Amino acid sequence: MKLRLGGVLLLLVLASACAPATGYGEIVTKSAPALPPRTPTSSAPPVPREVPTETHTGAESGEFQTSWPADQLGFLTFECPKCTSNVIVDTDGGEHGLVNAIGAYKGTKWMNTEPDRPVKRVTVHANAPWTATISDYRSIPTTEAGKEAAGKGDAVLRLPAGVARIRFTAKTRGAIGLWLMSPKDRDLLLNQIGDLQVERDVHGPAYLQVQGYEASWTLTPS
């Protein structure tokens, strides 16, 4: 029996009824996932600064402490290439259920989005060796207007100033979600199931978080 624990603050994606043993990203269902409410911010975020990268490793389930600054956005990349069961990553901060998957996983999620609830402890449930890396904004690839970026599974991208629209395509059997975080607010741009090709208005500079189980996707900003 597979376990299903945790949720995602930024995008709630439910567990798949028949998830394959290997994949990337979130577990999803065939039914439409719930839509989290838009979460506006009332003040401008702190100016990003360079923060030393943290790397944590483990063999199976466990937890680790982080000294990541409370006023700085972080990006957690979690890798468990040999996992065969539930992979769950949770925090004691404003984000819950950063990872909730079955099987091998590699993906990136943003964290520390709520300065009044900073992340101090990260809990991992896994059945194989894993690596968790927390990095600052320098680790996130920046897209270019008119140039296509491609990826698979969970990822975070930077949209430069001047970008006003994105074209996004995905191939997946499950749900695919897009979150946009700018200096002004955080918005859910997309939450659908199955293959898609859409366009959405955006306002760069901003971060774009892609969430989707086994989704192969492309993104073209303009």
Side-chain angles (χ1 to χ4, degrees):
M1 177 178 68
K2 302 295 184 183
L3 298 175
R4 169 68 173 90
L5 301 174
V8 178
L9 174 66
L10 304 179
L11 172 64
L12 178 61
V13 185
L14 304 179
S16 173
C18 297
T22 300
Y24 298 86
E26 301 291 339
I27 307 169
V28 300
T29 63
K30 295 300 182 181
S31 58
L35 296 178
R38 178 178 177 273
T39 308
T41 56
S42 57
S43 59
V47 176
R49 68 175 188 270
E50 296 182 1
V51 181
T53 297
E54 293 185 16
T55 300
H56 305 268
T57 60
E60 293 183 339
S61 296
E63 66 178 39
F64 61 86
Q65 301 289 326
T66 174
S67 58
W68 198 259
D71 66 341
Q72 291 297 304
L73 183 66
F75 301 93
L76 187 146
T77 298
F78 189 81
E79 301 177 64
C80 191
K82 296 184 179 180
C83 277
T84 58
S85 186
N86 285 83
V87 181
I88 299 171
V89 180
D90 204 357
T91 80
D92 62 348
E95 296 81 28
H96 299 287
L98 288 182
V99 178
N100 190 348
I102 294 178
Y105 177 88
K106 180 180 180 180
T108 299
K109 299 287 189 67
W110 56 42
M111 54 164 270
N112 237 38
T113 59
E114 300 182 23
D116 59 336
R117 300 178 62 191
V119 175
K120 295 299 182 184
R121 186 176 69 255
V122 178
T123 302
V124 175
H125 295 276
N127 68 345
W130 51 265
T131 301
T133 304
I134 305 176
S135 307
D136 63 22
Y137 67 94
R138 294 171 295 171
S139 66
I140 302 303
T142 300
T143 61
E144 295 184 45
K147 292 188 177 181
E148 180 181 280
K152 183 177 182 181
D154 298 336
V156 180
L157 304 168
R158 295 171 68 187
L159 302 177
V163 169
R165 194 166 180 81
I166 58 171
R167 182 171 70 250
F168 184 78
T169 66
K171 287 187 174 298
T172 179
R173 297 181 302 171
I176 186 76
L178 288 179
W179 279 90
L180 184 79
M181 180 164 56
S182 70
K184 294 183 178 181
D185 55 27
R186 186 161 66 245
D187 289 318
L188 177 64
L189 299 180
L190 171 71
N191 192 12
Q192 293 184 211
I193 292 177
D195 296 349
L196 58 90
Q197 179 173 332
V198 297
E199 294 191 12
R200 292 290 186 271
D201 292 330
V202 297
H203 298 283
Y207 291 106
L208 185 74
Q209 180 165 267
V210 181
Q211 292 183 260
Y213 169 68
E214 72 177 9
S216 298
W217 48 264
T218 64
L219 173 75
T220 305
S222 59

